[in-house]
Amino acid sequence: MELVSINNNHRQSLPIDCNTQSGKRAHEAPLKEIKRNPFIEANTKEVSLASLKKDCIIPNFAKDNEKTIAHHEFIQTALSSVNKMFPNDSINAPEIRVSHEVKGRVAEAIYKPVKELLEHEKTQYYERMAFIIRIPSLSTIINGNKLSLTVGGVRSYNQENLYSRKTYEKVKFFIGFQNMVCCNLCISTDGFQDEMRIANCEELEAKVLEIIQGYKAEKHLHKMKQLGNCSLTERQFAHLLGKARLYNYLPKKEKAIIPELLLNDGQISTIAKDYYNDESFCRDQNGDINMWNVYNLFTAANKSSYIDSFLARNNNALDFCYSIVEVIKSKSPNWFVS
């Protein structure tokens, strides 16, 4: 694959194809049809950047009345950073999902019944927000699936003490890929910061740029390619899911010596169902399933996560699936598949 420079100053190469056309290659499987699904579902809804700016108030820290970094400021800062790093590439508008609406009213309407409130008398903001910004001109193919370079972040006001004075605020940020067959995100530890502490938008931009520059895309893609070279039999897959159900009830000492798994029981059930029913990533005719498909079943099930746990579980899905591949290749004992 062609090497594409990440920016003009820091020559870190991304092993991704800059050609966005979906023509077939002799050494690749046929490209699968792209579906426009949300990157996260759960209890979220889609909003526009303009709506966040116009229709939402900005929470303040109660003891000093200092404002928080607003959701739209986080998104705009990330978008500005992406434009700086990829000045010659096409960049899509942010896709934004929000949840946990907090409703209020202006002082003049304090005694009005809810049904009599006028629109201009209502206030709102969203406690949790997640967004992605896709760069479709930077893409690659893995196992017949087109992956586009993507950045994104999460902001959850419930992780801030809004009843106190302003201090460092916490956000999450990543750079990785999005599988355009299913819109699942593909996140690795190298491109993910689970708790970024910042005081203002200038610090936020500096840290976003640092994460993008430090992202090891080649290592991330190599891991994902390895998943397609390893398969589980139906028996092994059933054993894996059974152990996954037991995992959350293990004693702490036993948990500490096996690979971490963050998905919950409901998500494990979704994976079991999709093993039979998913159009793109289900078992083959013999009941076998390769680990690339298992990984995508994991990331699809993760779409039911709340916004504040979504990115960590996505990152964990890759680490967990890759650990299974290493175990199978080395034929070493493992609690999940032995």
Side-chain angles (χ1 to χ4, degrees):
M1 297 182 181
E2 181 183 357
L3 296 180
V4 181
S5 173
I6 192 168
N7 63 36
N8 295 326
N9 299 319
H10 301 275
R11 293 294 178 179
Q12 177 180 339
S13 295
L14 295 175
I16 48 186
D17 186 1
C18 196
N19 186 357
T20 57
Q21 297 180 355
S22 57
K24 297 179 181 178
R25 304 181 186 184
H27 62 286
E28 294 282 4
L31 287 177
K32 297 179 181 178
E33 181 182 357
I34 294 175
K35 299 178 181 179
R36 297 300 180 188
N37 297 324
F39 67 92
I40 182 175
E41 296 165 354
N43 61 336
T44 65
K45 69 176 184 179
E46 184 176 10
V47 298
S48 68
L49 184 58
S51 176
L52 284 181
K53 293 176 65 175
K54 179 182 177 183
D55 302 330
C56 296
I57 63 170
I58 302 172
N60 285 359
F61 289 92
K63 288 194 174 180
D64 56 13
N65 208 28
E66 290 285 346
K67 79 172 192 68
T68 60
I69 295 173
H71 291 332
H72 70 266
E73 290 179 306
F74 181 17
I75 298 168
Q76 288 176 315
T77 299
L79 185 59
S80 173
S81 300
V82 170
N83 278 301
K84 288 180 180 179
M85 297 297 288
F86 305 98
N88 301 316
D89 291 289
S90 61
I91 298 171
N92 286 359
E95 295 177 30
I96 308 165
R97 309 286 297 186
V98 293
S99 70
H100 295 76
E101 182 181 8
V102 180
K103 297 179 180 180
R105 58 176 70 193
V106 298
E108 291 79 5
I110 188 170
Y111 296 114
K112 273 193 174 184
V114 173
K115 63 182 180 181
E116 295 179 10
L117 284 174
L118 303 176
E119 285 304 312
H120 73 274
E121 295 173 329
K122 301 175 184 177
T123 66
Q124 66 170 358
Y125 70 89
Y126 298 98
E127 185 183 80
R128 304 176 195 184
M129 179 278 300
F131 72 93
I132 62 170
I133 301 168
R134 192 183 308 113
I135 310 168
S137 57
L138 297 175
S139 61
T140 190
I141 311 292
I142 293 183
N143 209 41
N145 300 169
K146 179 179 177 180
L147 275 62
S148 290
L149 190 67
T150 302
V151 305
V154 160
R155 180 72 194 280
S156 299
Y157 285 129
N158 63 306
Q159 295 184 350
E160 310 290 351
N161 183 4
L162 297 179
Y163 297 101
S164 183
R165 298 182 182 277
K166 180 177 174 64
T167 180
Y168 287 105
E169 300 181 50
K170 297 182 284 291
V171 300
K172 305 173 192 288
F173 183 80
F174 79 91
I175 175 171
F177 289 88
Q178 185 178 34
N179 188 337
M180 300 310 299
V181 170
C182 50
C183 294
N184 296 355
L185 296 182
C186 305
I187 300 172
S188 70
T189 304
D190 289 330
F192 174 48
Q193 183 67 52
D194 188 48
E195 188 177 282
M196 184 190 298
R197 293 176 176 266
I198 40 94
N200 50 54
C201 288
E202 289 73 23
E203 283 189 14
L204 174 60
E205 181 178 47
K207 292 192 175 184
V208 165
L209 292 172
E210 181 181 353
I211 292 172
I212 295 175
Q213 290 170 345
Y215 173 53
K216 299 178 177 62
E218 185 171 4
K219 181 179 178 181
H220 186 189
L221 290 171
H222 175 75
K223 267 191 171 183
M224 291 192 288
K225 288 178 186 176
Q226 294 302 305
L227 298 177
N229 299 328
C230 182
S231 294
L232 299 177
T233 65
E234 184 174 26
R235 183 182 182 87
Q236 287 176 315
F237 183 76
H239 187 83
L240 172 64
L241 290 193
K243 286 297 187 73
R245 277 290 182 85
L246 296 175
Y247 173 79
N248 286 325
Y249 306 99
L250 282 174
K252 288 184 179 180
K253 288 184 179 180
E254 293 185 42
K255 267 190 180 182
I257 59 175
I258 60 178
E260 184 180 33
L261 180 61
L262 297 182
L263 297 185
N264 60 39
D265 282 354
Q267 291 165 332
I268 299 300
S269 295
T270 298
I271 293 167
K273 179 187 70 175
D274 289 346
Y275 167 76
Y276 295 104
N277 298 326
D278 189 276
E279 295 180 1
S280 300
F281 305 109
C282 65
R283 62 177 182 168
D284 64 20
Q285 293 179 346
N286 299 320
D288 297 344
I289 183 169
N290 69 50
M291 288 302 300
W292 170 253
N293 287 358
V294 172
Y295 170 56
N296 278 280
L297 294 186
F298 273 51
T299 53
N302 179 49
K303 287 183 177 181
S304 67
S305 296
Y306 278 175
I307 283 176
D308 52 355
S309 60
F310 173 69
L311 293 182
R313 284 178 174 172
N314 193 296
N315 179 48
N316 172 252
L318 178 61
D319 289 342
F320 178 82
C321 289
Y322 189 71
S323 73
I324 299 300
V325 170
E326 290 185 315
V327 164
I328 292 174
K329 286 186 174 181
S330 64
K331 297 181 180 180
S332 56
N334 178 272
W335 186 81
F336 281 101
V337 293
S338 299

